[in-house]
C-alpha cells in the first residue's frame, strides 16, 4: 500500500518496531526522544548562514533531555561541533546518551558540555537554539513547573549579546514568542506571560533565519526520501 512511512508520534520504540516490520523505508519524523530530520534542516541552515559547521558552538537552552536536546547533542558530537546544554541539572540528557556522544566526540573533535548558568553557557556561541518548554503529548500540568524552572533560560537580547557578534538564533517551531498561537495564548493568559522560551524581540530579529530553517525542513526531507526510496 505504501512506498514509505514517516512516523511522527511518541515513543522511539514505536518507530523502531515499525521499521523492523515494514518492508518500506520508515522515516523518523519526531519521537519523544529524537528528532533526526530536524537536524538535517538545522545543519543546512547553520551552513548557509555561517558557512561552516566544524568547530561551531551551539548552545541549547531549555529541556535538554527531550527530543531536540538529545538530537542536537548527538548531531553536534558527530559533526565536530561544540554542544552546550544550558538548563537546570534535572533537564540534562541521560548519562547513557552523554557517554555515547563522548565517544562520537573522540572521532569528530567535537565537545559536549552542560551549564546551569545561561549567560556563561551562551558566551561566544555561534548558534543559540531553543524549543518549546512543553512538548506535544506532555500533560498541561507540567507547564507551571517548566515556566518556573526554565524562565532563567529564556532567550533574550541579553543572552544574544553575550554570544558572538554574527551568532544566529534557531528554533524548530512552533515558538511561543507572542500570544498569537492557540497554546501560547492559553498558557500566556493562564500564567500572565506574553512570551515564553524566546522573547518576541529576539524571534523577530532572527525570523529570516528561523524561517529559512523551516523551509529547509522541506528540502532536506525530500533529499532523505530521494536517497532511501528504492
Ligand atoms: N520538542 C517539540 C519539538 C517540536 C518540533 C515537541 O516534541 O513538541
Amino acid at each position: 500500500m505504501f512506498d514509505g512511512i514517516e512516523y511522527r508520534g511518541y515513543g522511539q520504540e514505536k518507530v523502531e518496531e515499525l521499521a523492523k516490520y515494514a518492508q518500506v523505508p520508515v522515516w523518523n519524523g519526531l519521537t519523544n526522544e529524537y528528532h533526526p530530520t530536524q537536524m538535517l534542516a538545522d545543519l543546512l541552515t547553520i551552513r548557509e548562514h555561517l558557512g561552516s559547521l566544524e568547530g561551531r558552538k551551539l548552545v541549547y537552552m531549555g529541556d535538554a533531555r527531550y527530543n531536540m536536546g538529545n538530537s542536537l547533542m548527538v548531531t553536534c558530537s558527530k559533526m565536530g561541533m561544540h554542544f552546550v546544554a544550558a538548563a537546570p541539572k534535572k533537564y540534562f540528557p541521560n548519562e547513557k546518551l552523554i557517554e555515547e556522544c563522548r565517544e562520537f566526540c573522540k572521532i569528530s573533535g567535537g565537545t559536549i558540555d552542560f551549564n546551569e548558568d545561561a549567560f556563561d553557557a551562551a558566551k561566544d556561541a555561534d548558534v543559540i537554539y531553543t524549543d518549546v518548554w512543553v512538548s506535544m503529548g506532555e500533560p498541561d500540568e507540567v507547564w507551571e513547573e517548566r515556566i518556573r524552572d526554565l524562565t532563567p533560560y529564556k532567550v533574550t537580547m541579553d543572552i544574544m549579546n553575550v554570544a558572538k557578534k554574527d551568532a544566529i538564533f534557531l528554533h524548530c517551531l512552533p515558538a511561543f514568542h507572542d500570544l498569537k498561537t492557540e497554546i501560547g495564548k492559553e498558557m500566556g493568559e493562564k500564567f500572565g506571560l506574553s512570551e515564553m522560551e524566546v522573547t518576541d524581540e529576539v524571534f523577530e530579529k532572527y525570523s529570516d533565519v528561523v524561517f529559512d530553517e523551516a523551509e529547509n525542513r522541506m528540502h532536506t526531507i525530500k533529499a532523505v526520501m530521494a536517497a532511501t526510496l528504492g
Side-chain angles (χ1 to χ4, degrees):
M1 297 283 285
F2 302 102
D3 294 312
I5 304 169
E6 170 153 332
Y7 174 88
R8 186 174 171 100
Y10 301 105
Q12 174 69 21
E13 71 287 351
K14 294 202 177 104
V15 72
E16 287 179 12
E17 191 177 356
L18 186 58
K20 191 170 158 197
Y21 295 108
Q23 289 173 8
V24 292
V26 171
W27 305 293
N28 181 350
L30 174 144
T31 61
N32 294 340
E33 292 85 354
Y34 297 106
H35 198 1
T37 56
Q38 178 73 45
M39 296 304 106
L40 299 174
D42 294 347
L43 292 182
L44 180 59
T45 312
I46 296 168
R47 213 175 57 186
E48 278 176 350
H49 282 269
L50 299 179
S52 60
L53 297 173
E54 215 175 327
R56 295 289 183 179
K57 176 177 174 181
L58 184 148
V59 180
Y60 180 79
M61 303 269 182
D63 186 354
R65 63 194 172 159
Y66 219 74
N67 44 25
M68 288 306 302
N70 286 343
S71 278
L72 284 165
M73 179 171 75
V74 170
T75 301
C76 290
S77 308
K78 288 188 170 182
M79 301 308 289
M81 295 172 71
H82 305 302
F83 172 83
V84 183
K89 231 190 199 96
K90 70 178 190 199
Y91 294 94
F92 289 170
N94 71 66
E95 271 308 318
K96 188 170 166 280
L97 188 63
I98 293 173
E99 276 319 305
E100 275 176 42
C101 288
R102 291 207 195 286
E103 292 303 310
F104 297 145
C105 286
K106 283 186 193 159
I107 298 165
S108 72
T111 59
I112 51 179
D113 208 355
F114 306 93
N115 198 332
E116 291 189 274
D117 181 330
F119 283 90
D120 191 43
K123 231 181 271 166
D124 295 325
D126 295 288
V127 182
I128 302 283
Y129 204 119
T130 194
D131 181 18
V132 291
W133 287 339
V134 177
S135 287
M136 288 180 271
E138 291 194 285
D140 279 355
E141 294 75 67
V142 300
W143 271 102
E144 193 174 346
E145 184 188 21
R146 295 288 164 78
I147 290 171
R148 191 180 56 239
D149 291 348
L150 298 176
T151 293
Y153 305 89
K154 180 194 294 269
V155 181
T156 60
M157 277 316 293
D158 288 340
I159 288 282
M160 291 310 298
N161 287 339
V162 300
K164 280 196 188 137
K165 249 192 161 52
D166 64 348
I168 55 172
F169 167 74
L170 294 179
H171 194 307
C172 52
L173 301 181
F176 299 144
H177 58 99
D178 61 18
L179 302 182
K180 291 180 191 156
T181 57
E182 207 173 294
I183 297 174
K185 185 169 183 304
E186 187 190 335
M187 293 306 157
E189 282 169 0
K190 185 164 175 193
F191 295 103
L193 299 169
S194 59
E195 42 198 23
M196 302 241 195
E197 72 278 4
V198 55
T199 64
D200 196 44
E201 189 184 11
V202 170
F203 190 85
E204 291 301 339
K205 179 167 182 213
Y206 295 91
S207 56
D208 57 336
V209 188
V210 175
F211 290 120
D212 273 350
E213 181 188 11
E215 180 193 328
N216 284 337
R217 294 281 285 132
M218 178 174 63
H219 304 308
T220 48
I221 201 74
K222 278 159 68 178
V224 169
M225 288 179 174
T228 51
L229 283 170

